[in-house]
Every structure is written in structure tokens, then in C-alpha cells.
Amino acid sequence: DLTPIGMPGCALFTNPLVPIVLTNTGGMATWSVPIPNVPGYTGLSLYAQTLVASPGANPLGAVMSNACTMTLGPK
């Protein structure tokens, strides 16, 4: 719960170990991650969540996205 830092209604679901800054262009930001074709990566889970600047939405002026889980594997 991020209410104590000025973000009521927001929650942090992931550990922010690798922060990446993206630029919003026309309401969208993209991020490409090259993943090597390594058989040992099959089944590896990755987790992501986004902090978005939103002045006026709350005292901190930022909101959190929902969490995302990705599992690597063949299509």
C-alpha cells in the first residue's frame, strides 16, 4: 500500500531492482528486451510494474499500473 507516501489506492507489487525510464509518445511508451535463445531460460518468470507521472491524481502526482508476469518459453 503506497498511501503513506502520497499514493492512496496504489500498491507496489514488484521489487524495483531495475528502474527504466520511458518516454510517452502519443500516449504510448514501448520497451524492447532482447532475450537470447538459451534453453535454460525456458520457464523463467519476469515481473514488471509501471510508475506513471500523473500530476493532480494524488499528493505525490504519480500512479502505479497493475503488475505483469511474463514467463519465457517457446511459442
Side-chain angles (χ1 to χ4, degrees), residues 6 19-20 39 67:
I20 297 169

Side-chain angles (χ1 to χ4, degrees), residues 17-36:
L17 293 174
V18 183
I20 297 169
V21 177
L22 301 176
T23 303
N24 179 342
T25 305
M28 188 166 116
T30 58
W31 175 49
S32 297
V33 180
I35 299 172

Side-chain angles (χ1 to χ4, degrees), residues 1 3-5 7 10-11 14 17 21 26-29 31-32 36-37 39 42 44 48 51 59 70-71 75:
D1 178 18
T3 299
I5 64 166
M7 297 173 67
C10 293
T14 61
L17 293 174
V21 177
M28 188 166 116
W31 175 49
S32 297
N37 187 12
T42 300
L44 180 70
L51 171 75
M70 300 161 272
T71 303
K75 286 186 176 184

